[in-house]
Amino acid sequence: VQLQASGGGLVQSGGSLRLSCAASDITLDYYAIGWFRQAPGKEREPVSCMSSSGSSTYYSDSVKGRFTISRDNAEKMMYLQMNSLKPEDTAVYYCAADRQPYSGTYPLRTMNYWGKGTLVTVSS
């Protein structure tokens, strides 16, 4: 199984980016997915998670209302649309997947499969 994140880059505060994550050798339909980030000197934290069907989602308080997670199971893709970006959103963003039931009421933390990460830098 491979997950490949892309779409990171340098953007000004208030701007937008769309992260993509391509999955291979996996039937994504059966997997909960998540986006996580790790800022310099900080621990990795969950940003947004979604159930296998897409019916349940979780957003951290810091991104709620600004970020949107989505998925295309047929294309084996997951996305994170990031709007109104702030300098504190600067981090390496990781996509992840895990075959588990998920209600969306809590952040996922233990995931079986991880992508390598894509750097998002938001300038002030």
Side-chain angles (χ1 to χ4, degrees):
V1 176
Q2 286 191 331
L3 301 177
Q4 181 64 55
S6 61
L10 174 63
V11 63
Q12 288 189 333
S13 181
S16 298
L17 280 176
R18 189 193 195 203
L19 304 184
S20 300
C21 180
S24 59
D25 298 324
I26 187 175
T27 303
L28 197 59
D29 309 50
Y30 302 141
Y31 288 76
I33 61 172
W35 287 94
F36 301 75
R37 69 186 181 187
Q38 186 167 19
K42 295 187 177 181
E43 293 187 354
R44 186 168 59 193
E45 62 174 357
V47 173
S48 181
C49 308
M50 176 177 272
S51 61
S52 57
S53 67
S55 61
S56 300
T57 56
Y58 163 88
Y59 294 95
S60 68
D61 288 342
S62 61
V63 307
K64 199 173 294 182
R66 300 187 297 122
F67 290 12
T68 303
I69 190 172
S70 61
R71 62 192 297 160
D72 184 334
N73 287 342
E75 296 295 326
K76 299 184 179 181
M77 294 291 296
M78 59 184 85
Y79 304 98
L80 185 69
Q81 177 67 43
M82 306 186 296
N83 299 329
S84 302
L85 282 161
K86 306 174 181 180
E88 51 263 43
D89 294 318
T90 295
V92 176
Y93 284 72
Y94 300 88
C95 56
D98 191 81
R99 189 164 180 169
Q100 60 175 289
Y102 180 56
S103 66
T105 57
Y106 56 91
L108 293 171
R109 297 188 184 275
T110 302
M111 307 293 276
N112 273 342
Y113 304 112
W114 292 86
K116 288 188 177 179
T118 184
L119 176 62
V120 172
T121 304
V122 184
S123 63
S124 57

